[in-house]
Each structure stands twice: as C-alpha cells, then as structure tokens.
Amino acid sequence: MSILDLPGRRLGAPARRLGTSGACPVIAGRRPRTAGIRPLARRAPWAASAYVAAVQSGAYALRPLPEADREAVLREHSTNVDNLRAGRWHTLLTSAFLVEEPLDPAYGAILLGVLGGAEAVWGSRRTAAVFAFGHLGASLLVYGGLRATDASKETRSAVDVGASYGLNAVLGAAAVSLPHRAARAVAAAGVLGLVARPLVREGRTFTDVGHLAALLLGLGAGHTGAFTRG
C-alpha cells in the first residue's frame, strides 16, 4: 500500500493506542475538532453585533411612542449642556445606545463593518476602549466648547445621542493602524477630509465638531498604540 501524507500522521503508518488492550485506536497528533473553533469564536465580532442589535432594538422600541414622548426620552439621555451641567453623567453612557430613528441599512452596515473589523483585529475590549474614548472624549469636548461659547438655550438642551462619536474614533484608530506607511497616510487623510467637510458648509452643527474631535482622538489613540496594542 502506498503511504499518503496527512496532517499529523502518514496514512499506513502504525496507529498509536491509548490505554490497555481493547482501547480504540487514535491517530497520533490529531487535534480535537474543537481546537480550531475556539480561536475563531474569539475573533468573531460578537460585541459589535450585539451593540448594533441593541441600538437598533432601542430605536424600534421608541418608535411607537408619540413624537413628543420619544423626544423627551432622547433629550433625557442626551449629552447636552443642560444634562451634564446638572450632573447627569449617566448620559455619557446611555447616549451611545440611543438613536433618533432606526439605523439606515447603509449606516448600520458601515457601523457593523467598522466596529466588527476592528474587533476581529484588536479584540472586543480594545475596540470598546477606543469607542468609549472617542465617545466620552468628544462629548466632553463639545460640552466644554458649548459652555465656553455661551450657546443658545435650544443648543444647550438639544438631542445629542448616537454611535457616531465612537464610530469616528474607531475609524481614525483603524486608519493609522494599517500595516504600511503609505496606506496609513492615505487612509488618515481620507477620513479627515470626509469628516471635516461638513464644517466648511453652511448649516454646520456642534455635532459636526464632535465628529471631528472624535476622529482626532481616534487618530491619536491609533498612532500611539493606546488601547490597540499591549
């Protein structure tokens, strides 16, 4: 019989037995089938999927409410000046899980793709750390800027919820974490141009500033390796 090479053992070579006589023969060197499944499970973007699902579920749960009631809930959990000045710091967390309307399919796919891709490379905890760093940092910077500029009453109580600050931070960190210098430069310039563009148009809002702040925080975190390495 010809001998064929297979992983862990050559077919036709004597099989090693475990235990005493009567034990079932086992091919030497063969791994249990579950050995390769666990690493794949660790790399799967389960946290990103769960987060996007939670955001979308919350949006659909609020949708049947009358518009005034839905807006009141969103305003209560917004990182606006009135809430933070009153010490409602929990809004820094809850605002990331609420959106004004269910996610558009295209935006939902981008959110899941960016967060899921980062999670597959960095892991769940590091991706969550970058997201939180961008969301919290940008929210606080916008809050400080609005207080310093004596914003209008409408702006101080505005609805400010969503995943966009955290998304921009992860996007920035991912752009400067690419393996080649030229790719990092092109990606960083591209996302900077994309996020900064609304600031040079009429009708810009404080959230546009927040998006840029979050992106810059992400670029810094990715460049230094904070949260993404170690």
Tab-separated table of all heavy atoms in Angstrom, residues 56-70 100-102:
chain	number	residue	atom	x	y	z
A	56	GLN	N	-30.342	49.211	17.482
A	56	GLN	CA	-31.483	49.095	16.582
A	56	GLN	C	-32.743	48.686	17.345
A	56	GLN	O	-33.842	49.206	17.073
A	56	GLN	CB	-31.172	48.070	15.479
A	56	GLN	CG	-32.132	48.070	14.325
A	56	GLN	CD	-31.958	49.266	13.399
A	56	GLN	OE1	-31.845	50.407	13.846
A	56	GLN	NE2	-31.943	49.012	12.097
A	57	SER	N	-32.614	47.790	18.302
A	57	SER	CA	-33.773	47.364	19.107
A	57	SER	C	-34.340	48.524	19.904
A	57	SER	O	-35.560	48.688	20.012
A	57	SER	CB	-33.370	46.222	20.045
A	57	SER	OG	-32.944	45.092	19.315
A	58	GLY	N	-33.442	49.349	20.487
A	58	GLY	CA	-33.904	50.512	21.235
A	58	GLY	C	-34.647	51.501	20.363
A	58	GLY	O	-35.659	52.088	20.780
A	59	ALA	N	-34.167	51.674	19.143
A	59	ALA	CA	-34.826	52.597	18.215
A	59	ALA	C	-36.229	52.125	17.873
A	59	ALA	O	-37.181	52.916	17.843
A	59	ALA	CB	-33.990	52.744	16.950
A	60	TYR	N	-36.370	50.839	17.624
A	60	TYR	CA	-37.693	50.310	17.300
A	60	TYR	C	-38.609	50.290	18.519
A	60	TYR	O	-39.830	50.413	18.386
A	60	TYR	CB	-37.569	48.910	16.702
A	60	TYR	CG	-37.230	48.925	15.229
A	60	TYR	CD1	-35.969	48.514	14.792
A	60	TYR	CD2	-38.149	49.366	14.290
A	60	TYR	CE1	-35.644	48.531	13.438
A	60	TYR	CE2	-37.831	49.395	12.936
A	60	TYR	CZ	-36.582	48.981	12.516
A	60	TYR	OH	-36.266	49.011	11.184
A	61	ALA	N	-38.033	50.161	19.708
A	61	ALA	CA	-38.852	50.193	20.925
A	61	ALA	C	-39.427	51.590	21.163
A	61	ALA	O	-40.553	51.736	21.657
A	61	ALA	CB	-38.014	49.753	22.123
A	62	LEU	N	-38.663	52.630	20.803
A	62	LEU	CA	-39.128	54.008	20.997
A	62	LEU	C	-40.046	54.482	19.873
A	62	LEU	O	-40.826	55.428	20.061
A	62	LEU	CB	-37.939	54.958	21.086
A	62	LEU	CG	-37.037	54.841	22.316
A	62	LEU	CD1	-35.856	55.797	22.199
A	62	LEU	CD2	-37.830	55.135	23.592
A	63	ARG	N	-39.980	53.837	18.748
A	63	ARG	CA	-40.704	54.310	17.566
A	63	ARG	C	-42.215	54.422	17.774
A	63	ARG	O	-42.829	55.376	17.267
A	63	ARG	CB	-40.394	53.394	16.389
A	63	ARG	CG	-40.675	54.027	15.037
A	63	ARG	CD	-40.196	53.155	13.905
A	63	ARG	NE	-40.197	53.854	12.646
A	63	ARG	CZ	-39.833	53.304	11.486
A	63	ARG	NH1	-39.435	52.051	11.457
A	63	ARG	NH2	-39.860	54.010	10.383
A	64	PRO	N	-42.888	53.495	18.474
A	64	PRO	CA	-44.344	53.613	18.614
A	64	PRO	C	-44.794	54.764	19.510
A	64	PRO	O	-45.984	55.125	19.495
A	64	PRO	CB	-44.750	52.268	19.249
A	64	PRO	CG	-43.603	51.347	18.993
A	64	PRO	CD	-42.399	52.211	19.009
A	65	LEU	N	-43.865	55.356	20.283
A	65	LEU	CA	-44.249	56.438	21.182
A	65	LEU	C	-44.639	57.681	20.395
A	65	LEU	O	-44.129	57.923	19.294
A	65	LEU	CB	-43.084	56.782	22.117
A	65	LEU	CG	-42.631	55.704	23.111
A	65	LEU	CD1	-41.433	56.215	23.894
A	65	LEU	CD2	-43.764	55.318	24.042
A	66	PRO	N	-45.521	58.494	20.956
A	66	PRO	CA	-45.804	59.792	20.334
A	66	PRO	C	-44.508	60.594	20.194
A	66	PRO	O	-43.589	60.451	21.006
A	66	PRO	CB	-46.774	60.454	21.314
A	66	PRO	CG	-47.409	59.318	22.041
A	66	PRO	CD	-46.355	58.259	22.153
A	67	GLU	N	-44.443	61.411	19.184
A	67	GLU	CA	-43.203	62.138	18.890
A	67	GLU	C	-42.692	62.928	20.085
A	67	GLU	O	-41.489	62.936	20.373
A	67	GLU	CB	-43.424	63.065	17.703
A	67	GLU	CG	-42.162	63.791	17.267
A	67	GLU	CD	-42.392	64.642	16.042
A	67	GLU	OE1	-43.484	64.554	15.439
A	67	GLU	OE2	-41.471	65.409	15.688
A	68	ALA	N	-43.591	63.590	20.811
A	68	ALA	CA	-43.179	64.394	21.966
A	68	ALA	C	-42.576	63.513	23.064
A	68	ALA	O	-41.572	63.876	23.687
A	68	ALA	CB	-44.368	65.178	22.507
A	69	ASP	N	-43.179	62.352	23.293
A	69	ASP	CA	-42.662	61.448	24.327
A	69	ASP	C	-41.315	60.864	23.915
A	69	ASP	O	-40.402	60.732	24.744
A	69	ASP	CB	-43.657	60.317	24.581
A	69	ASP	CG	-44.956	60.813	25.204
A	69	ASP	OD1	-44.959	61.945	25.742
A	69	ASP	OD2	-45.961	60.082	25.160
A	70	ARG	N	-41.194	60.496	22.654
A	70	ARG	CA	-39.920	59.942	22.178
A	70	ARG	C	-38.809	60.981	22.280
A	70	ARG	O	-37.698	60.684	22.724
A	70	ARG	CB	-40.068	59.466	20.734
A	70	ARG	CG	-38.798	58.799	20.202
A	70	ARG	CD	-39.014	58.128	18.867
A	70	ARG	NE	-39.262	59.082	17.796
A	70	ARG	CZ	-40.430	59.271	17.212
A	70	ARG	NH1	-41.497	58.580	17.583
A	70	ARG	NH2	-40.569	60.153	16.228
A	100	GLU	N	-32.091	58.573	17.156
A	100	GLU	CA	-33.382	59.229	16.950
A	100	GLU	C	-34.322	58.403	16.080
A	100	GLU	O	-35.542	58.439	16.260
A	100	GLU	CB	-33.163	60.607	16.324
A	100	GLU	CG	-32.393	61.562	17.231
A	100	GLU	CD	-32.249	62.937	16.631
A	100	GLU	OE1	-33.291	63.531	16.284
A	100	GLU	OE2	-31.108	63.416	16.484
A	101	GLU	N	-33.770	57.675	15.148
A	101	GLU	CA	-34.553	56.821	14.257
A	101	GLU	C	-33.806	55.506	14.067
A	101	GLU	O	-32.588	55.451	14.255
A	101	GLU	CB	-34.770	57.492	12.892
A	101	GLU	CG	-35.604	58.758	12.930
A	101	GLU	CD	-37.075	58.498	13.227
A	101	GLU	OE1	-37.517	57.330	13.063
A	101	GLU	OE2	-37.768	59.454	13.620
A	102	PRO	N	-34.513	54.420	13.711
A	102	PRO	CA	-33.808	53.171	13.423
A	102	PRO	C	-32.697	53.383	12.402
A	102	PRO	O	-32.819	54.212	11.499
A	102	PRO	CB	-34.913	52.260	12.878
A	102	PRO	CG	-36.158	52.772	13.529
A	102	PRO	CD	-35.990	54.257	13.617
